[in-house]
């Protein structure tokens, strides 16, 4: 019995230390809800979204399309592949090779997670809207334009059904802020990934029903 209690105590201490090591302490997130703080800490620990050199996170700041392409690539577990593509030419006329964001945009585009505009541009420095963020997050899970309904209703509806947007209030056309992006990305990581089945003409869970966290950060 003593050995069992000792083992349980050791496990509890290890988990406690791991939690402390995982947490990121930003000076300007104290006024956020505990769930938002936890999401920011988790995403920072996974190096999906980082803070600033002055120790702040700037939760109310908006995010550009280029910045979110980076978030998408890392959340999708392909950050290393994006690094390889940094020097490659882009399909978009306003994305030059060897910019800090080039590889992330190239990678995210190749996976079908992000798309450009009909004029051939990507507009990397434009603010990304909530509708665009939600669309990319849902695509990271394996969903695509086979979802029923017009855009962005189709993706927003699926995100709602998956509880990705449960803790976020938003205007779909408004610029997304960093805190809400962290909360939604965290929720997405806990969702199961799917693939389109041509036989059933529906989305099916992948074998073993892994979550996005399982697939992208299996060593985390």
């Amino acid at each position: 019995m003593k050995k069992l209690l000792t083992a349980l105590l050791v496990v509890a201490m290890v988990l406690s230390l791991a939690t402390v090591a995982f947490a990121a302490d930003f000076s300007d997130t104290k006024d956020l809800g505990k769930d938002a703080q936890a999401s920011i800490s988790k995403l920072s620990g996974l190096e999906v979204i980082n803070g600033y050199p002055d120790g702040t996170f700037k939760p109310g700041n908006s995010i550009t399309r280029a910045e979110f392409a980076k978030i998408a690539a890392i959340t999708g577990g392909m950050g290393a592949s994006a690094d390889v593509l940094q020097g490659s030419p882009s399909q978009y006329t306003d994305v030059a090779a060897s910019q800090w964001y080039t590889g992330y945009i190239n990678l995210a585009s190749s996976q079908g997670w992000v798309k450009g505009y009909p004029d051939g541009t990507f507009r990397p420095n434009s603010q990304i809207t909530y509708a665009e963020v939600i669309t990319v997050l849902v695509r990271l899970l394996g969903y695509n334009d086979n979802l029923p309904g017009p855009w962005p209703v189709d993706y927003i509806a699926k995100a709602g059904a998956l509880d990705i947007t449960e803790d976020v209030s938003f205007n779909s056309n408004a610029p997304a802020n960093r805190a809400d992006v962290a909360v939604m990305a965290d929720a997405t990581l806990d969702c199961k990934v799917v693939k389109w089945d041509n036989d059933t003409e529906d989305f099916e869970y992948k074998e073993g029903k892994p979550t996005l966290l399982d697939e992208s950060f299996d060593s985390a």
Side-chain angles (χ1 to χ4, degrees), residues 43 46-51 63-80 82-83 100-109 113-114 122 124 128 136 140 178 181 217:
L43 271 290
L46 292 172
E47 298 184 348
V48 170
I49 185 169
N50 300 315
I63 286 181
T64 66
R65 285 168 54 83
E67 289 171 335
F68 194 72
K70 177 181 179 180
I71 291 172
I74 297 174
T75 303
M78 303 187 74
D83 292 338
W100 72 264
Y101 50 70
T102 306
Y104 298 113
I105 293 174
N106 285 344
L107 185 283
S109 295
W113 297 334
V114 301
F122 186 79
I128 191 166
V136 176
L140 286 171
R178 286 167 56 83
V181 166
F217 301 96

Side-chain angles (χ1 to χ4, degrees), residues 181-193:
V181 166
V183 170
M184 291 189 290
D186 182 14
T188 303
L189 284 169
D190 291 335
C191 294
K192 294 179 175 62
V193 293

Side-chain angles (χ1 to χ4, degrees), residues 32-196:
L32 300 177
K34 290 184 178 179
D35 289 342
Q37 291 185 48
S39 292
I40 291 170
S41 181
K42 178 177 175 180
L43 271 290
S44 175
L46 292 172
E47 298 184 348
V48 170
I49 185 169
N50 300 315
Y52 294 88
D54 62 358
T56 63
F57 184 77
K58 296 180 172 51
N61 277 18
S62 59
I63 286 181
T64 66
R65 285 168 54 83
E67 289 171 335
F68 194 72
K70 177 181 179 180
I71 291 172
I74 297 174
T75 303
M78 303 187 74
S81 297
D83 292 338
V84 176
L85 296 173
Q86 184 176 1
S88 301
S90 173
Q91 68 187 79
Y92 304 111
T93 58
D94 57 348
V95 177
S98 299
Q99 297 296 311
W100 72 264
Y101 50 70
T102 306
Y104 298 113
I105 293 174
N106 285 344
L107 185 283
S109 295
S110 72
Q111 298 300 308
W113 297 334
V114 301
K115 296 181 180 179
Y117 293 90
D119 63 359
T121 63
F122 186 79
R123 303 175 195 173
N125 296 311
S126 293
Q127 295 175 327
I128 191 166
T129 67
Y130 279 91
E132 292 170 330
V133 167
I134 291 167
T135 297
V136 176
L137 290 176
V138 172
R139 285 175 178 161
L140 286 171
L141 295 171
Y143 296 98
N144 56 36
D145 293 347
N146 286 319
L147 288 169
W151 186 85
V153 175
D154 48 357
Y155 284 94
I156 292 175
K158 175 54 68 173
L162 296 171
D163 293 335
I164 291 173
T165 55
E166 181 180 17
D167 297 321
V168 176
S169 297
F170 63 93
N171 178 333
S172 62
N173 294 319
N177 67 49
R178 286 167 56 83
D180 286 345
V181 166
V183 170
M184 291 189 290
D186 182 14
T188 303
L189 284 169
D190 291 335
C191 294
K192 294 179 175 62
V193 293
V194 301
K195 60 181 179 180
W196 176 257

Side-chain angles (χ1 to χ4, degrees), residues 2-34:
K2 288 183 178 180
K3 289 183 179 180
L4 176 60
L5 290 174
T6 301
L8 291 173
L9 180 60
V10 170
V11 170
M13 290 175 64
V14 169
L15 289 175
S16 176
L17 290 171
T19 301
V20 172
F22 186 78
D25 186 18
F26 297 108
S27 61
D28 58 347
T29 59
K30 306 294 192 251
D31 294 333
L32 300 177
K34 290 184 178 179

